[in-house]
Amino acid sequence: YRRELAAGGAVFGVQVLAPRAFERELARRAGVAGGPVDALARERIAAAAVAATRLEAMAAAAATPGFPRALVRFVSELQGLRIQPSRLARALSDWAGDDSARMAYGRELAGLYRAYRERLEALGRRDADLQLALALDEIRLTPSRWGATPVLFYGFDDLRPLQVDAVETLARHAEAEVMLSLTFEPGRAAFASRARMHADLQAVADRPPIVLGARPDHYVHPALHHIERGLFEAGDRAIGPAVAEQLALDGLGTSASPALDRDRVDPGDAVRFLEAGGDRAEVELVAQQVAQLIREHGYAAEDIAVVWRDTRPTAALAEQVFQAYGIPYALTRRIALGHTALGRGLIALGRCALLEGSADDLLTWLRTPGFLRRPELADRLEATARQEGAVTAAAARELWERSHPDFPLGEIDEVAEAGGRGPAALCRRLAATAGRLLATPLERTAPIFTGGEALDANVAGRARGALEGLGRLAQADRALGGEPAELLRTIGELELTIGAFPGPGRVSITTPGFLRARRVRALFLCGLQEGAFPRPAHPDPFLGDEDRMALNVASGLGLRHHEDTVAMERFLFYTAASRPTDLLALSWHTADDDGKPTVRSFFVDDVADLLAPEAMERRSRRPLGAAGWDAAIAPTAREARLAAAAREGELAGTSKPIAELRDEEVLRSLRERPTWSASALEAWTACPVRWFVEQLLRPEGLEPDPEPLVRGTFAHEALEAVYRELPDGRLEPGGLPAARAVLHRVLGELEGRHRISVNPDRLRAEVRRLESDLVRFLEHAAHDGSTFRATDLEVRFGGVKDPLPAAALAGGALQLAGRIDRVDRNAAGEAIIRDYKGRSAVAGAARWLEKGKLQMGLYMLAAADVLDVEPVGGLYQQLGPEELKPRGLLHEDADPDLKVGRDDRMSPEEARAILDDVERAALEAVNEIRQGRLEPRPDTCGWAGNGCSYPSICRCARS
């Protein structure tokens, strides 16, 4: 505005003020000292008023968090109409009559308003409404206070009652000349919502209005002027003589043209309809068209506006897409302080200090930007907390200070101590902490804030200012500070404006209300869905329209109705649709991003009815889930590549899987690796990609070890201890009581070492469950008929600290390392290899290779090499299910009374053939690993055949 005024010669002495700034100027000139309380203080005063008022009819509603804010809006409406508490009480009494329910409700509503005003008066403060009303009264009493400064109200078409009062005060009582520009035409449907405003202002004016007629020269194409004139009108009113004449000159039709309806014109490319399959597809379609206008048609970015009825639901998506397409944009939006990183950190600190904070709260505070110079320390704490079951902030703090004794978290104690001294001290401490959180990462620099730093500075400033103001209120009235939980919630809900404001070189992403006093070359009106634009009515939470009407009739209060929502929405749509001079685009989506159908706004049809049918038929479409753009219209080279990849099927389920390993250093380390474990070779056989992730990358997890893994370790150690105390390693029926006693003792010793679950209740249940399973196994083992004795337990070989060397298999080509759970021997030197399994199913030897199971076969071969025994069997022993019969491989004449699976006994020659096949498969796996031959095997990758375990890494067709 200043630039436009300066271009017309108005350089000095001109102020361009937004409404709030203008109200402050009125107060300054009127001599009203002191500023009004801010929005946060008003909400706290309202909350205190609610707490001080005895409520029954409203008790349930008053207990909800949004009640004080709704009360502030209602109070503001009353004060804007200069309705005093006593007058409201009389009006509500007249409205209630003999209706006892209405009487009780009216008494409580009047009591809330009176309590709010009493709290405000007790503080000796005013809110913004009372401040403006007092300033206007002072100017009425002493008009010279304003002086002769002329005032132009421009872009105001929804003035609040006090703003109308300001216009009247300056126009009738001050010496200033006042002019107000109002968008209005009598009789037009688009302006129906502004008829009352026009009448109110007409009563204030002391001269006839200056009427500015429609100007078709604003528009490059007459169809845009035709829309501006005909929108929401019917029949002959939809087109004027000037438009008809211009249409005739352009050959687009006249009233005499039989080919074209008089009220329907072909807009050519001046009006576009954009139809998308989902929210994202719509934003992408709009952004692509905007990019095309800038790069191919010479539009300046500032000459383009993208308008939503409300930008909040799509702001994050619009930012993401416009950035990806390289389009400079200006988008401001309101965001809750608790939704920012610094704001979350501040609130989390308060929860840790004042409430029963969680471990997540402590981690949120530690992750406040810049607080830790090594952010990975918070990640490490999170992993430790999850693995040890620390769920409270106190428990997580103990873990932190145990690992970092030189970095105590004293801020928690400082905030707790301040909270103990009362809300005023707490607010001051939190305000100081907000500044410190911002300053900590900047202590050694003097930065110019950009991007995230500017946002943090904005958040810190907003939080600090609000908390300092609230602290002053609490100093005067302790109740206004609220309880800690309420205070932190209030701070978290504080809103601040973020983003870039419109300016040269930036496309405006905005709302109709912000655009209504501007013109642009191209305008994209988006999100035209039923329920979004027009937006449905939101009834007043205290008095609905019927009650307001009855109250107005009974008392003459003059409360506004909310039933004319459609008329207001029509006006907003008109203001947006009439802004572009060259191009108007209307955009909607036929479904949301989950595929749920949506209905386009009837406003689209209102425009379409003014145009030739061909205009809608030419609409541009983008389907749900579309990837990239064809090269001819792609906004970026990357989008063109995405489209090409989608056409080739690379993004449609047939993408190229993970490639083979190529890094020479990695390959060399694999070739030079001395030993291999059976579990690693089994993982490779199941799926090389799974081996790559679990055996080579070895990502550190945040969660505790899986319960089956911890349970297995627990069971192995418990059984090892039991068998070590058995006489001669043999469990006989008579020895069961002693074995059970050992088991119970050992379980008690191991319970604290192996936590199956971090949940204490689940831990106790799982230990009892494991105890039951192991007792059943011992009973089974005592009666299994075996004559072999457990002579070797937890046999470790091949590791750096293992007592036995690696097993040399395949003629020395494969060096195997591992741990055998148990080796049973007889007097003849024969051995049966035992391996404990949990509740997962095990297979007989005939299916080992089919299932990718190499471990038992390799352990049998290893035992022969490192223990110098003759393996006659290899058995997997389940510890959980009802069927405890071991499965695997056993020579047909070995340990004849031992009960095994029906098909698991075989001749020594058959057993040897299986072991040879296992050895060859293992050697083949080793050779493939050394060559880095990664390939996906989704059929065998997941546990129990559940498909690909790592689809985002594998990218195979069946991920």
Side-chain angles (χ1 to χ4, degrees), residues 13 15 25 29 145-152 170 174-178:
Q15 286 183 283
E25 181 67 12
R29 294 199 183 193
R145 288 182 178 275
W146 180 261
T149 305
V151 182
L152 167 64
L170 296 178
E175 302 171 2
E177 182 172 347
V178 177

Side-chain angles (χ1 to χ4, degrees), residues 208-561:
I210 301 172
V211 179
L212 302 177
R215 294 180 58 183
D217 57 340
H218 276 308
Y219 302 99
V220 171
H221 196 289
L224 295 175
H225 184 51
H226 176 57
I227 292 172
E228 187 276 325
R229 290 287 82 203
L231 191 59
F232 305 129
E233 301 299 328
D236 293 338
R237 293 182 60 108
I239 190 168
V243 178
E245 180 181 355
Q246 186 63 46
L247 291 172
L249 291 174
D250 292 344
L252 296 177
T254 67
S255 58
S257 172
L260 192 63
D261 190 303
R262 183 179 183 219
D263 291 340
R264 304 192 71 169
V265 301
D266 187 346
D269 199 39
V271 179
R272 300 179 186 177
F273 295 99
L274 311 178
E275 181 181 273
D279 301 88
R280 185 179 188 88
E282 181 182 2
V283 177
E284 290 175 339
L285 181 56
V286 170
Q288 182 271 334
Q289 299 251 333
V290 169
Q292 200 170 43
L293 290 180
I294 295 172
R295 294 163 189 171
E296 298 181 17
H297 299 283
Y299 278 65
E302 62 268 24
D303 289 336
I304 303 173
V306 179
V307 178
W308 270 274
R309 177 63 180 85
D310 184 355
T311 58
R312 286 173 296 182
T314 54
L317 179 58
E319 288 178 336
Q320 182 184 36
V321 173
F322 274 64
Q323 286 175 2
Y325 287 11
I327 303 170
Y329 64 91
L331 170 60
T332 59
R333 55 189 171 108
R334 303 286 289 174
I335 185 173
L337 187 141
H339 293 173
T340 65
L342 193 146
R344 280 195 303 270
L346 181 66
I347 295 164
L349 171 61
R351 290 182 57 81
C352 292
L354 306 167
L355 307 174
E356 294 295 329
S358 66
D360 285 341
D361 289 323
L362 185 72
L363 288 164
T364 298
W365 173 49
L366 292 176
R367 285 175 171 142
T368 305
F371 182 74
L372 292 178
R373 293 183 180 176
R374 294 175 58 198
E376 67 272 13
L377 296 180
D379 299 336
R380 195 167 299 161
L381 175 64
E382 180 178 5
T384 305
R386 292 193 181 192
Q387 291 161 5
E388 298 196 14
V391 296
T392 65
R397 179 183 180 183
E398 183 179 347
L399 292 176
W400 171 270
E401 294 183 344
R402 187 193 309 163
S403 301
H404 309 283
D406 56 340
F407 193 161
L409 303 180
E411 291 90 340
I412 296 177
D413 301 323
E414 293 174 3
V415 173
E417 186 273 333
R421 289 189 282 116
L426 175 60
C427 287
R428 288 194 296 270
R429 166 52 59 188
L430 289 176
T433 302
R436 192 161 62 194
L437 286 174
L438 174 67
T440 297
L442 309 174
E443 290 174 345
R444 300 182 181 180
T445 62
I448 297 175
F449 288 152
T450 59
E453 292 173 346
L455 173 60
D456 288 343
N458 192 358
V459 172
R462 180 78 173 99
R464 188 168 183 172
L467 284 164
E468 288 175 347
L470 192 55
R472 289 191 292 271
L473 283 177
Q475 189 73 38
D477 185 345
R478 185 186 179 95
L480 296 181
E483 295 299 318
E486 189 178 11
L487 172 64
L488 294 176
R489 179 189 59 79
T490 301
I491 295 299
E493 292 175 354
L494 275 175
E495 289 192 334
L496 64 153
T497 301
I498 65 172
F501 288 91
R506 294 194 292 267
V507 174
S508 293
I509 301 178
T510 185
T511 62
F514 280 97
L515 194 72
R516 59 193 172 190
R518 289 180 53 199
R519 284 201 177 275
V520 291
R521 286 188 64 191
L523 182 136
F524 292 80
L525 194 45
C526 310
L528 295 175
Q529 318 295 133
E530 287 297 328
F533 201 0
R535 188 161 61 185
H538 295 287
D540 186 88
F542 292 102
L543 292 171
D545 281 342
E546 290 185 8
D547 293 330
R548 285 167 175 263
M549 191 176 300
L551 188 58
N552 289 343
V553 170
S555 63
L557 282 187
L559 297 177
R560 287 190 174 187
H561 299 175

Side-chain angles (χ1 to χ4, degrees), residues 834-874:
R834 300 270 192 163
D835 191 78
Y836 301 127
K837 293 296 181 186
R839 293 176 171 266
S840 59
V842 296
R847 302 188 64 193
W848 282 353
L849 288 178
E850 176 190 337
K851 295 290 186 179
K853 300 300 181 183
L854 307 180
Q855 179 175 298
M856 181 55 72
L858 292 175
Y859 281 178
M860 289 178 67
L861 295 170
D865 184 63
V866 301
L867 295 177
D868 193 24
V869 296
E870 180 186 351
V872 295

Side-chain angles (χ1 to χ4, degrees), residues 110-124:
L112 287 171
Y113 185 26
R114 182 174 57 255
Y116 173 88
R117 290 290 291 267
E118 288 173 353
R119 286 278 178 174
L120 199 57
E121 290 167 8
L123 291 171

